[in-house]
Amino acid sequence: MALRGLGRRISIGKRCFSSASEVEKRPRDGKQINLFSAINQALHIALETDSRAYVFGEDVGFGGVFRCTTGLADRFGRNRVFNTPLCEQGIAGFAIGLAAMGNRAIAEIQFADYIYPAFDQIVNEAAKFRYRSGNQFNCGGLTIRSPYGAVGHGGHYHSQSPEAFFCHVPGLKVVIPRSPQQAKGLLLACIRDPNPVVFFEPKWLYRLAVEEVPERDYMLPLSQAEVIRQGSDITLVGWGAQLSVLERACDEAAKDGISCELIDLRTLIPWDKETVEASVRKTGRLLVSHEAPVTGGFGAEISASIAERCFLRLEAPVARICGLDTPFPLVYEPFYMPTKNKVLDAIKATVNY
Amino acid sequence: MAVSRLASSSSSLSKLLLRPLPAPPFSRSFSAIASDDDGTVLTIETSVPFTGHKIDPPSRSVDTTRNELLSFFHDMSVMRRMEIAADSLYKAKLIRGFCHLYDGQEAVAIGMEAAITKRDSIITAYRDHCTFLGRGGTLVEVFSELMGRRSGCSKGKGGSMHFYKKEAGFYGGHGIVGAQIPLGCGLAFAQKYSKDETVTFALYGDGAANQGQLFEALNMSALWDLPVILVCENNHYGMGTAEWRASKSPAYYKRGDYVPGLKVDGMDVLAVKQACKFAKEHALKNGPIILEMDTYRYHGHSMSDPGSTYRTRDEISGVRQERDPIERVRKLILTYEISSASELKDIEKGIRKEVDEAIRQAKESPMPDPSELFTNVYVKGFGVEAFGADRKEVKAVLP
């Protein structure tokens, strides 16, 4: 198992995995690109550095409906980058089998709303493979990428956030990036991680988020949350597109003299309890925010764990500002979403508890 | 309204010459044409013969009447006009979200309706505007729902992909590809159980034909002899993927293996009518049957798809010239002198006005009330807590 040095390429053919690679705090080279381009770069690098990596899914051949896979088929050939028919269960099962033979299978589910036919394969086959075979077999090379989250006009079936369902499954990792630079590093880490990973990409940010992203191969650590902003009065935890909402709420709260600490969870399971706990020990207050419905959402797990660990330190109940307990609505999307004002209101209520 | 009396040239049903008559008023919503028809039957051949899989195909000579042809023309023109109007509304951002247009495929919806009753059930995927209209929906309901207004058929909460009409046995309107097929088989089971001599038509596309649930549903329906007709609306492209690139066997009517199938020219409304009539009789006696409708959509998959990156414009215009369903019926009407070209033009003009009027009415309808966000999640609901920006004041536990 070789550890990566700075900027060194991953050796081709060897499945050397390490999540303890360098942490990029400040990129020193790079262009301003958006999220789908960053993901595209990551996929190019993944296929370049491992000849047994494959990318497949519905419509990935021409570049995908969100342009994440452009250029891959031309560069690596249709034997490595190919379209599947419209069959999510088939895609997932096929990917698991491919990974079980020691390949890196990068499957795309076109929208997270369509992942449910594949749910059985992911939960029952992928997550439990290593466990039930006594470590004889595993599908660690499996990465499932899927766009998730609201997009402004998606309606019931193009806006869902199903991360909580997968967080409930031991054996899987769930990773959600917040920005282009994070996405590239996290995706490469997921692909090279020796466990099956579900990687949700916030579709709203595909074009909207633009950031300077280094062109080289780099990975970001999994199961490590990142404190994006330091503060002393309240800890805010979120992931994906919701972080930009939280950031704006932080800015507004700062005008009222409330100093917010903002944490991007990045990996939802196994999640970085230590970082969040350390932060809550500092501030004494916690607010979790996500787009998925509040009941049974991942915020519930964070809330319960922190309550267990920091009960005596907490100055106020853990607040959860999340989507409402309804199917993701069509015209009512602005009411459903956990908006900046809802977050701001909860920050104030928690601080003044 | 002058009705010409004519002598038939032979004792068998044969071609009749008709004098042109003034077009009857078509200013009501979708329903049967006023019967001033003297009932004389025209026998017309379909464009191509049917191809059967494990079944003897029906004859390609279809019985129809003068009025039926006129109603086909009218109803398909309404659908065409409606879809084109929806295109403009979408571009004007009055319709948001997703909008999948059916123009080109109207013959499937109309031919099916001609063969069945409103007590039979239809369930389809997301390209459902015209199917809904065929089941008796009104233009105002369509446009309101598309724009998310209260007067829409799903009260503005469903949108383009979720049209329903309970009284007419239209079970929607489904966004998830292939999910409606096992549902359709369940509907058929209920129909068989209640012994009411009705059937279910479960429609899906060539993309959905590769979903596992189709085969699960086929097996169940064949095992239990359910009166379900599975209709594959093969428009040859699953979003942007051509059928030959997604399916090892694009002969979707054969995919049922032990379930018989029929391949039908989906652009010929008479062929569709004949096939559906045949299928209904078969399903009531012998269980499931697959109908593959060879059809075509002019628009892209949805409004965000130009439809020309994966197929040539020549192909699209070629189909429009050779196989357009409305043009075929127009030719028949003119050939059999049921009406004149200018009268047909008048019908089309009238339809345009009707559609514009419906849009105007739909625009006036208000958006649903914000409280509707929480209704119908559960039957009696449960304490869903909701709050606005200020949690202390604007907080409610909803019923």
Side-chain angles (χ1 to χ4, degrees):
Chain A
M1 296 286 169
L3 275 176
R4 267 135 281 297
L6 268 143
R8 201 183 303 148
R9 283 303 182 85
I10 317 298
S11 41
I12 295 175
K14 268 201 249 160
R15 269 186 54 209
C16 312
F17 298 104
S18 168
S19 50
S21 16
E22 67 275 16
V23 176
E24 292 305 309
K25 285 286 180 231
R26 236 166 257 62
R28 49 200 102 137
D29 53 348
K31 291 213 209 66
Q32 294 271 344
I33 57 173
N34 58 25
L35 185 64
F36 73 74
S37 307
I39 289 173
N40 189 240
Q41 276 188 20
L43 290 173
H44 272 272
I45 293 174
L47 289 178
E48 202 178 290
T49 52
D50 186 344
S51 60
R52 292 177 73 192
Y54 308 87
V55 171
F56 48 92
E58 291 158 24
D59 299 313
V60 301
F62 80 91
V65 287
F66 292 110
R67 324 289 302 135
C68 294
T69 49
T70 35
L72 290 173
D74 292 332
R75 188 169 165 205
F76 298 103
R78 300 251 161 208
N79 284 338
R80 291 180 68 192
V81 180
F82 51 92
N83 290 336
T84 59
L86 215 170
C87 44
E88 287 75 18
Q89 188 172 25
I91 293 171
F94 174 90
I96 293 167
L98 197 57
M101 293 291 282
N103 301 291
R104 261 180 261 243
I106 307 166
E108 177 183 301
I109 301 288
Q110 193 159 80
F111 281 87
D113 314 56
Y114 311 152
I115 206 169
Y116 305 111
F119 194 69
D120 171 65
Q121 284 287 341
I122 298 172
V123 169
N124 279 331
E125 300 301 323
K128 302 174 168 64
F129 210 155
R130 193 190 289 272
Y131 188 84
R132 67 173 190 259
S133 67
N135 207 12
Q136 280 186 74
F137 289 105
N138 69 80
C139 55
L142 173 68
T143 305
I144 296 183
R145 297 178 33 244
S146 190
Y148 90 104
V151 73
H153 53 267
H156 312 96
Y157 300 117
H158 295 79
S159 320
Q160 288 178 38
S161 304
E163 70 267 6
F165 297 115
F166 297 96
C167 291
H168 194 50
V169 184
L172 284 184
K173 290 197 178 183
V174 176
V175 178
I176 304 185
R178 70 169 182 274
S179 74
Q181 188 250 345
Q182 292 285 315
K184 181 175 170 182
L186 287 172
L187 182 56
L188 281 167
C190 291
I191 292 171
R192 292 163 180 163
D193 187 274
N195 294 292
V197 182
V198 182
F199 186 80
F200 286 117
E201 301 160 1
K203 66 171 85 70
W204 206 330
L205 301 182
Y206 272 139
R207 266 172 242 274
L208 281 182
V210 178
E211 201 181 20
E212 195 175 316
V213 177
E215 284 187 13
R216 63 196 148 76
D217 185 350
Y218 67 96
M219 305 204 299
L220 292 171
L222 296 184
S223 293
Q224 240 188 58
E226 186 179 344
V227 180
I228 310 180
R229 197 185 275 226
Q230 299 272 0
S232 55
D233 294 328
I234 182 170
T235 303
L236 305 179
V237 174
W239 50 86
Q242 190 62 11
L243 280 168
S244 72
V245 175
L246 290 176
E247 257 185 327
R248 283 182 285 130
C250 286
D251 291 336
E252 291 262 334
K255 292 187 196 144
D256 290 323
I258 302 175
S259 158
C260 303
E261 179 143 306
L262 185 55
I263 299 183
D264 176 8
L265 208 54
R266 302 203 295 191
T267 303
L268 266 64
I269 50 158
W271 63 287
D272 186 355
K273 294 185 190 172
E274 282 70 31
T275 303
V276 180
E277 186 187 341
S279 173
V280 176
R281 285 206 180 282
K282 189 169 69 161
T283 63
R285 296 174 191 87
L286 177 62
L287 183 150
V288 187
S289 186
H290 55 71
E291 280 176 24
V294 59
T295 301
F298 195 61
E301 155 66 25
I302 300 176
S303 177
S305 288
I306 294 299
E308 257 172 15
R309 292 175 168 222
C310 307
F311 183 74
L312 291 173
R313 176 66 186 94
L314 282 170
E315 308 275 333
V318 176
R320 288 181 295 160
I321 304 304
C322 309
L324 301 174
D325 285 328
T326 69
F328 198 102
L330 186 60
V331 296
Y332 298 113
E333 187 171 324
F335 294 109
Y336 169 95
M337 294 289 281
T339 55
K340 177 197 78 169
N341 282 342
K342 287 187 188 175
V343 173
L344 190 57
D345 177 68
I347 292 176
K348 291 184 190 162
T350 310
V351 166
N352 297 326
Y353 187 78
Chain B
M1 211 133 337
V3 175
S4 41
R5 193 110 350 205
L6 305 141
S8 48
S9 48
S10 72
S11 52
S12 64
L13 306 164
S14 54
K15 228 165 73 157
L16 300 165
L17 283 170
L18 302 161
R19 277 215 306 272
L21 29 84
F26 287 98
S27 55
R28 70 299 171 273
S29 66
F30 241 65
S31 53
I33 279 209
S35 53
D36 58 325
D37 192 17
D38 59 4
T40 36
V41 177
L42 302 171
T43 306
I44 302 178
E45 285 215 322
T46 63
S47 58
V48 291
F50 299 103
T51 325
H53 165 74
K54 301 211 171 148
I55 195 167
D56 287 325
S59 145
R60 70 188 277 206
S61 303
V62 186
D63 293 337
T64 180
T65 66
R66 193 186 66 207
N67 267 11
E68 190 177 52
L69 284 174
L70 280 170
S71 78
F72 285 165
F73 180 83
H74 173 269
D75 296 345
M76 287 201 282
S77 299
V78 174
M79 289 180 174
R80 179 69 59 92
R81 190 68 225 134
M82 173 183 80
E83 294 296 68
I84 294 176
D87 178 311
S88 317
L89 286 174
Y90 192 92
K91 290 185 174 134
K93 301 220 171 174
L94 281 160
I95 298 176
R96 303 202 67 219
F98 295 88
C99 194
H100 306 87
L101 299 177
Y102 198 74
D103 54 320
Q105 300 183 213
E106 298 91 353
V108 176
I110 294 296
M112 193 180 291
E113 289 298 333
I116 62 177
T117 71
K118 294 290 188 286
R119 288 173 47 244
D120 297 304
S121 306
I122 297 185
I123 189 169
T124 183
Y126 43 76
R127 212 176 290 278
D128 58 351
H129 307 165
C130 299
T131 323
F132 170 75
L133 214 58
R135 286 267 89 182
T138 65
L139 286 167
V140 179
E141 282 178 323
V142 170
F143 287 116
S144 306
E145 188 61 40
L146 287 174
M147 296 196 271
R149 310 292 172 106
R150 224 177 278 206
S151 49
C153 54
S154 305
K155 306 202 179 56
K157 293 172 76 167
S160 160
M161 295 196 276
H162 306 107
F163 284 19
Y164 297 86
K165 195 167 178 69
K166 187 167 178 192
E167 321 79 73
F170 181 52
Y171 288 84
H174 297 268
I176 299 295
V177 170
Q180 73 278 7
I181 306 169
L183 257 80
C185 298
L187 297 175
F189 185 93
Q191 286 172 325
K192 178 168 178 161
Y193 197 90
S194 27
K195 293 200 171 79
D196 53 6
E197 296 294 303
T198 53
V199 296
T200 297
F201 283 80
L203 285 77
Y204 59 97
D206 44 298
N210 296 315
Q211 277 277 322
Q213 32 196 345
L214 167 61
F215 299 95
E216 293 182 14
L218 273 171
N219 183 49
M220 288 195 286
S221 349
L223 200 56
W224 302 323
D225 291 321
L226 300 181
V228 62
I229 295 122
L230 294 128
V231 181
C232 177
E233 290 184 285
N234 182 8
N235 56 25
H236 307 285
Y237 295 95
M239 222 161 68
T241 305
E243 57 177 346
W244 55 271
R245 292 202 297 140
S247 304
K248 177 70 180 170
S249 160
Y252 298 105
Y253 68 109
K254 289 191 186 162
R255 290 279 206 95
D257 184 21
Y258 41 81
V259 172
L262 203 62
K263 187 165 162 134
V264 185
D265 178 3
M267 307 293 260
D268 178 355
V269 63
L270 293 171
V272 173
K273 173 185 158 189
Q274 181 87 319
C276 291
K277 189 154 153 287
F278 174 78
K280 176 170 174 176
E281 283 159 14
H282 181 274
L284 283 172
K285 276 205 305 283
N286 311 356
I289 178 171
I290 297 182
L291 294 179
E292 180 188 335
M293 302 285 178
D294 183 352
T295 181
Y296 200 84
R297 53 167 162 82
Y298 297 140
H299 269 91
H301 163 76
S302 71
M303 285 306 300
S304 23
D305 172 20
S308 48
T309 51
Y310 47 86
R311 49 186 193 174
T312 59
R313 288 193 206 275
D314 289 337
E315 181 188 301
I316 305 173
S317 50
V319 174
R320 218 187 260 275
Q321 264 177 316
E322 309 282 316
R323 299 176 66 202
D324 185 85
I326 301 180
E327 292 311 308
R328 165 169 284 134
V329 175
R330 192 197 299 266
K331 274 200 204 89
L332 283 172
I333 291 177
L334 295 175
T335 309
Y336 287 81
E337 295 186 7
I338 299 171
S339 188
S340 77
S342 64
E343 277 156 8
L344 293 179
K345 276 254 157 14
D346 287 338
I347 295 176
E348 285 177 314
K349 280 205 207 108
I351 289 173
R352 234 189 195 190
K353 283 211 201 81
E354 209 181 316
V355 166
D356 289 339
E357 171 59 24
I359 295 178
R360 193 197 58 77
Q361 271 184 43
K363 279 186 189 167
E364 284 172 4
S365 173
M367 289 284 195
D369 190 82
S371 65
E372 287 277 331
L373 172 55
F374 299 100
T375 56
N376 303 127
V377 179
Y378 289 91
V379 173
K380 282 239 159 83
F382 80 117
V384 175
E385 218 170 44
F387 49 89
D390 183 341
R391 317 171 95 198
K392 290 188 193 69
E393 288 191 12
V394 188
K395 186 171 181 168
V397 174
L398 293 142

